[in-house]
């Protein structure tokens, strides 16, 4: 039995645009219906189901935003794409905030249109389950899970704000995995970790011979994320020249590799994040306002761990279960009641990431059956770092631990059993820490 064709409603008062879109979609083996006004579109929607609606922003009897709202309310399973005037960023952002799946600018680029339609129609296919989960039953987390479900069905740019260690990348990954791009790549990049002079090549790629050291063609991050999601972590760290180039790539939906004469159209959803306040950076002249509006169409807040203390027992249990498996422990170490109470009274400047590090350290220091307050080695409140410095402190502590392990290995001539005794931990725990800290690769 042949599957029914997907159907698309095209709403535009210009006959030539309607015809252009119908021809393009017909070549994609899609069924189409066309309307020149809001009234005609409403009548068609009342008579039949559509898998996608593409509407112009300006119509003789209203505007496309009205239609977006009506379809969101009455036909929530039908994504809507809006056609906007070229360069009208405000209209594009307004349509996305109203609930539009995506937008395309006039004059309509057929290649961009086809990619948009292909992505939208993937919503008809059930997204595979499994994968990571956002744990917790606090109201803030329940609301965040609901928001992730809604955002997954859109292509609107999302900016995730939150302190270091709150799980911003996990939120981005869930938005990706629950949406129509789930079968495409999820490409995370830390914008603060790429040297300024290499950024253009890393983001957009380069051709062989385009600069000294370019011995072969290189695919950029945008091309690597084709049909998927590009996650720009710590986007506030982008230098001014890359902010300009990123804005153009987002506006044109195309990138120009270094050394290339023409642009390449890309079909990528961009999700950004930072622990800094982008609004403050814009006000201070450190981040472009036009890029801020393009990235921050919808803002999501990842709550700090101290704001959801009731989730700590379940999170701790999850982390310990994973650690027991990774460390190969014969049994799961139990948190003493006093140790759990101490965790719930701790401020966690490093949030969930810090909880994971604390429990990992405690599991290696414990007797294997119980984790006590002493095993946790919590810093006193007066010694707690600011949110901004928590990440740096964590790196500093890792370096101290690396140095201690290196010295123990050197003193015992790399006899790991003796080194573990010297450090006061089990052989299995030492082996795990050596691998975790990358010492075995040195």
């Amino acid at each position: 039995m042949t599957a029914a064709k997907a159907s698309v409603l095209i709403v535009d008062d210009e006959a030539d645009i309607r015809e252009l879109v119908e021809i393009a979609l017909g070549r994609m083996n899609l069924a189409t219906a066309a309307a020149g006004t809001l009234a005609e579109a409403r009548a068609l929607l009342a008579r039949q189901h559509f898998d996608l609606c593409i509407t112009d922003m300006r119509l003789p009897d209203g505007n496309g935003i009205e239609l977006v709202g009506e379809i969101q309310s009455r036909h929530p399973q039908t994504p809507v794409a809006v056609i906007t005037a070229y360069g009208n960023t405000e209209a594009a952002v307004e349509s996305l905030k109203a609930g539009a799946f995506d937008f395309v600018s006039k004059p309509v680029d057929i290649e961009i249109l086809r990619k948009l339609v292909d992505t939208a129609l993937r919503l008809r296919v059930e997204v595979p389950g499994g994968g990571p989960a956002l744990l917790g039953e606090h109201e803030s987390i329940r609301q965040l899970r609901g928001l992730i479900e809604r955002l997954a069905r859109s292509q609107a740019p999302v900016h995730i704000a939150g302190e270091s260690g709150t799980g911003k990348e996990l939120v981005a990954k869930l938005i990706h995995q629950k949406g129509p791009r789930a079968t495409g790549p999820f490409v995370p990049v830390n914008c603060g970790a790429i040297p300024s002079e290499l950024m253009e090549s890393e983001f957009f790629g380069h051709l062989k011979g385009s600069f000294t050291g370019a011995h072969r063609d290189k695919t950029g991050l945008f091309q690597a994320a084709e049909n998927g999601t590009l996650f720009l972590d710590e986007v506030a760290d982008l230098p001014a020249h890359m902010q300009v180039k990123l804005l153009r790539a987002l506006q044109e939906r195309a990138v120009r590799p270094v050394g290339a004469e023409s642009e390449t159209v890309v079909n990528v959803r961009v999700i950004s994040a930072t622990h800094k306040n982008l609004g403050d950076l814009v006000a201070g002249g450190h981040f472009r306002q036009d890029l801020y509006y393009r990235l921050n169409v919808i803002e999501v807040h990842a709550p700090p761990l101290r704001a959801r203390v009731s989730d700590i027992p379940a999170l701790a249990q999850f982390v310990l279960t994973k650690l027991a498996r990774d460390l190969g422990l014969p049994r799961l170490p139990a948190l003493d009641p006093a140790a759990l109470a101490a965790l719930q009274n701790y401020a966690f400047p490093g949030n969930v990431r810090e909880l994971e590090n604390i429990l990992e350290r405690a599991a290696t220091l414990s007797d294997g059956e119980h984790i006590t307050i002493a095993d946790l080695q919590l810093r006193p409140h007066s010694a707690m770092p600011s949110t901004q410095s928590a990440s740096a402190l964590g790196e500093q502590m890792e370096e101290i631990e690396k140095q201690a392990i290196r010295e123990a290995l050197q003193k015992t001539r790399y006899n790991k059993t003796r080194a573990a005794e010297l450090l006061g931990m089990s052989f299995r725990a030492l082996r795990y820490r050596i691998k975790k800290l990358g010492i075995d690769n040195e």
Side-chain angles (χ1 to χ4, degrees), residues 82-94:
V82 174
I83 300 174
T84 64
Y86 177 76
N88 193 338
T89 302
E90 289 184 9
V93 170
E94 184 185 358

Side-chain angles (χ1 to χ4, degrees), residues 288-421:
R288 291 183 65 96
Q289 187 175 52
D290 45 9
L291 178 58
Y292 171 72
Y293 286 134
R294 175 66 72 171
L295 292 172
N296 197 35
V297 172
I298 298 174
E299 185 169 83
V300 175
H301 289 273
L305 185 55
R306 63 182 171 277
R308 53 186 189 109
V309 173
S310 58
D311 284 339
I312 288 177
L315 287 170
Q317 187 67 20
F318 174 82
V319 172
L320 288 172
T321 301
K322 182 177 183 299
L323 280 170
R325 183 175 66 246
D326 293 345
L327 286 166
L329 300 177
R331 62 175 61 85
L332 185 68
L335 267 173
D336 282 354
L340 179 57
L343 288 175
Q344 291 183 292
N345 286 313
Y346 184 65
F348 284 104
N351 294 291
V352 177
R353 187 182 299 131
E354 186 180 9
L355 173 65
E356 292 171 345
N357 291 339
I358 287 171
L359 291 176
E360 185 175 332
R361 184 172 63 242
T364 61
L365 294 174
S366 73
D367 61 8
E369 295 188 4
H370 299 277
I371 292 176
T372 66
I373 290 181
D375 295 327
L376 295 177
Q377 295 188 348
L378 298 179
R379 294 187 300 279
H381 288 268
S382 60
M384 284 185 189
S386 65
T387 300
Q388 288 77 9
S389 62
S391 178
L393 181 61
E395 293 174 5
Q396 185 180 359
M397 291 178 69
E398 276 197 358
E399 282 303 317
I400 293 171
E401 186 178 3
K402 281 184 182 179
Q403 189 58 35
I405 292 175
R406 290 191 195 104
E407 289 177 0
L409 288 170
Q410 288 168 1
K411 286 179 181 177
T412 59
R413 298 192 178 188
Y414 292 86
N415 183 317
K416 292 179 183 176
T417 301
R418 289 177 58 200
E421 292 173 358

Side-chain angles (χ1 to χ4, degrees), residues 226-243:
E226 179 69 14
N227 294 322
T229 302
L230 179 61
F231 174 56
L232 302 179
D233 198 8
E234 298 306 340
V235 72
D237 292 341
L238 284 175
H241 78 280
M242 271 308 297
Q243 292 181 31

Side-chain angles (χ1 to χ4, degrees), residues 20-279:
L20 172 70
V21 175
E22 284 197 277
I23 291 172
L25 300 192
R27 289 173 178 167
M28 295 175 69
N29 196 34
L30 301 174
T32 60
T37 65
L38 271 178
E40 291 175 11
R42 288 168 180 147
L44 285 167
L45 285 163
R47 288 201 299 268
Q48 71 176 94
H49 166 78
F50 290 96
D51 297 295
L52 171 66
C53 174
I54 301 173
T55 179
D56 192 13
M57 180 67 84
R58 294 189 176 185
L59 297 165
D61 53 346
N63 63 61
I65 298 295
E66 291 180 53
L67 190 58
V68 170
E70 290 178 21
I71 292 177
Q72 280 270 298
S73 174
R74 299 174 188 173
H75 313 278
Q77 299 306 309
T78 301
V80 187
V82 174
I83 300 174
T84 64
Y86 177 76
N88 193 338
T89 302
E90 289 184 9
V93 170
E94 184 185 358
S95 67
L96 292 170
K97 286 186 174 179
F101 169 80
D102 207 344
F103 70 92
V104 61
S105 299
K106 293 180 181 179
V108 177
D109 183 304
I110 295 302
E111 186 177 356
I112 290 176
L113 177 67
R114 284 175 178 156
K115 289 187 174 185
L116 181 156
V117 170
D118 181 62
T119 301
L121 293 180
R122 282 187 228 158
L123 289 169
R124 301 170 76 215
V125 182
E126 186 175 350
V127 177
L134 190 64
L135 299 176
E137 291 304 320
H138 188 271
E139 183 59 26
S140 63
I141 292 298
R142 295 164 75 97
Q143 289 180 3
L144 181 54
R145 279 198 291 263
L147 181 57
I148 287 170
E149 295 284 347
R150 295 194 297 275
L151 293 178
R153 299 187 61 81
S154 166
Q155 292 303 290
V158 172
H159 179 68
I160 306 168
E163 298 175 6
S164 294
T166 50
K168 297 186 289 295
E169 182 172 339
L170 173 59
V171 172
K173 193 172 290 185
L174 288 170
I175 292 172
H176 166 79
Q177 291 183 344
K178 293 178 178 295
R181 296 179 179 271
T183 55
F186 177 83
V187 180
V189 53
N190 186 328
C191 297
I194 304 174
S196 178
E197 65 275 12
L198 297 179
M199 275 193 171
E200 187 173 359
S201 170
E202 288 295 317
F203 274 81
F204 310 131
H206 65 247
L207 301 186
K208 179 181 177 181
S210 56
F211 56 85
T212 303
H215 301 303
R216 58 181 177 80
D217 290 355
K218 175 183 172 64
T219 299
L221 293 165
F222 268 86
Q223 295 97 318
E226 179 69 14
N227 294 322
T229 302
L230 179 61
F231 174 56
L232 302 179
D233 198 8
E234 298 306 340
V235 72
D237 292 341
L238 284 175
H241 78 280
M242 271 308 297
Q243 292 181 31
V244 175
K245 293 181 182 297
L246 176 59
L247 177 63
R248 176 172 175 78
L250 296 176
Q251 288 176 332
E252 302 300 325
R253 304 189 186 204
V255 298
R256 186 193 301 273
V258 177
E261 295 183 358
S262 59
E263 292 185 328
T264 301
V265 172
V266 290
N267 178 29
V268 173
R269 183 181 194 179
V270 171
I271 298 177
S272 62
T274 183
H275 72 275
K276 299 177 182 177
N277 188 312
L278 272 189

